[in-house]
Structure formats: structure tokens, C-alpha cells
Amino acid sequence: MDLQPLYTAVLEGDLNTAKTITSQALAEGTDPQVLLSQYMIPAMDEVGRLFSAGEFFVPELLIAARAMKGCLEPLRPLLAQSGAKPAGRVAIGTVQGDLHDIGKNLVAAMLEGGGFEVVDLGVDVSPERFVACVREQGVGLIALSSLLTTTMEQMRATIAALDAAGLRQQVKIMVGGAPVTASFAQSIGADGYSTDASEAVRLARRLAAAA
């Protein structure tokens, strides 16, 4: 079957069409890895490009991510059975003391759309919870979000906690959020900084490749 409409459906955020095409393709024996790597992830990459170019905005990102998520549901067990590896495993959370989640949720959705396995720890996440996640769930990348200047130092505290636990060398750490800057990221020892959800995916890929 012609699978190009799957790309278009994800790009345009057409959840029902995307899910229907995915189900039909799987019923016809299409390799789930082909659906993911040749149509779904490229569609989300294009979403990110359009967002960076100012042609897409947050609502378009959200509906495209929703369509991608709908397609992923039946694919996940099949991909696991086939031994297909995700682009990487990411733990994401808004740092302790900060309850903002819109930006974090958007980044999580775009990372998942980019082929990453995402462990979303939610908001108000303590350094100890990030440490436990690395220790217990084997994540190779941590994404820290802060929307308040008063909670930015929790990023530094989280990195220090990972270092104290002897886990810092096992993970790459990326940071972001409205008050966060590249110079601040460098000052706390983060491995990277992104300005938006689209850039976060590109950064995550670079960090995963360097791990």
C-alpha cells in the first residue's frame, strides 16, 4: 500500500487517518520499523523544521505529536519483539520547586516523535528522583526543565547529585526553559542547551550519538 499518506497525516496532525493507515499497514504485514523510520519520524522532523522556520506554532506541534503518539501505540510491542532499538532513552522532568509542564510536555512529545523512548517524571522532580531513574531505568540522557529563575539552581543540584552518586559519566544532560541560557548551562556542567522543542530533538540526537 501507498504509505505516503501516513507521513502527511502525522505532519498535519490527523490522528484518525494516521491510526487507520498504521493499522492497515500492519495488517498487510508492513515492517513496523519501516513505518516508524521512513514515514513517522521524518514527518515529525518536518514538523520541527516548520516550527523553527516560524511556519508552525505550538498548536501544530501538539496535534502532530498526538497523531504520532496514536500511531506508536500499536507499534511499540511489535518493535520490542523485533529487537528494534530506540534512538535513546530519555528521562525528562521539571526540576524541584517548579510546577510548569507545558514546555516539558512539548519537548517530551517531540522527543518521542523523534524516535526516543521517554520516561516522563513530571514536575517538581527532586535530584534524588533523577538519580534513582538513572540507576533503576538505565536512561542515557536527562532533560531538565525550569520555567522559574528561582528553580534554575535545582539543575545544578541535580547534576551535583548525579556526580555524588557516581552516575554523572553514564548520562548526558540537556537543559532548557524560558530563563535558561547557554552560558548558564555551561556554568552548571550540562552537556547541552536547547531553546525550543524542535532544537531539543536535534540536541538529543547529537548527545546520544556522542555517548
Side-chain angles (χ1 to χ4, degrees):
M1 63 183 291
D2 179 16
L3 294 173
Q4 191 60 30
L6 175 59
Y7 172 96
T8 303
V10 173
L11 178 65
E12 296 177 352
D14 186 343
L15 173 62
N16 290 334
T17 298
K19 289 175 70 173
T20 298
I21 295 171
T22 300
S23 296
Q24 291 175 345
L26 292 174
E28 293 185 13
T30 305
D31 185 342
Q33 186 63 44
V34 168
L35 297 178
L36 183 66
S37 63
Q38 296 185 22
Y39 298 94
M40 294 159 61
I41 290 177
M44 289 302 294
D45 285 345
E46 177 64 5
V47 169
R49 187 194 70 78
L50 291 169
F51 179 77
S52 296
E55 297 178 47
F56 268 20
F57 301 95
V58 169
E60 285 87 355
L61 258 68
L62 288 173
I63 62 170
R66 184 186 64 167
M68 175 78 177
K69 211 161 191 172
C71 296
L72 275 173
E73 288 175 7
L75 257 60
R76 280 198 188 97
L78 299 173
L79 290 167
Q81 289 172 17
S82 69
K85 300 292 185 184
R89 197 162 203 222
V90 186
I92 187 170
T94 305
V95 296
Q96 190 167 41
D98 199 325
L99 301 177
H100 293 85
D101 68 353
I102 294 176
K104 183 268 299 175
N105 291 345
L106 190 56
V107 171
M110 290 297 289
L111 285 170
E112 192 168 30
F116 286 86
E117 182 180 352
V118 177
V119 179
D120 190 342
L121 297 177
V123 300
D124 193 22
V125 184
S126 69
E128 292 75 21
R129 283 185 62 203
F130 280 111
V131 168
C133 186
V134 173
R135 186 174 281 138
E136 297 165 9
Q137 301 197 47
V139 300
L141 180 62
I142 290 178
L144 304 175
S145 173
S146 172
L147 271 291
L148 301 172
T149 55
T150 54
T151 61
M152 288 169 60
E153 283 300 317
Q154 286 297 319
M155 293 181 166
R156 189 192 307 273
T158 299
I159 294 174
L162 288 162
D163 195 30
L167 299 172
R168 178 64 184 94
Q169 299 306 312
Q170 296 182 27
V171 292
K172 298 292 185 180
I173 299 173
M174 52 191 281
V175 298
V180 182
T181 63
S183 60
F184 176 76
Q186 186 174 19
S187 75
I188 64 174
D191 296 299
Y193 155 77
S194 65
T195 56
D196 58 49
S198 175
E199 170 58 25
V201 177
R202 293 191 290 272
L203 173 60
R205 286 175 176 161
R206 291 197 298 272
L207 294 176

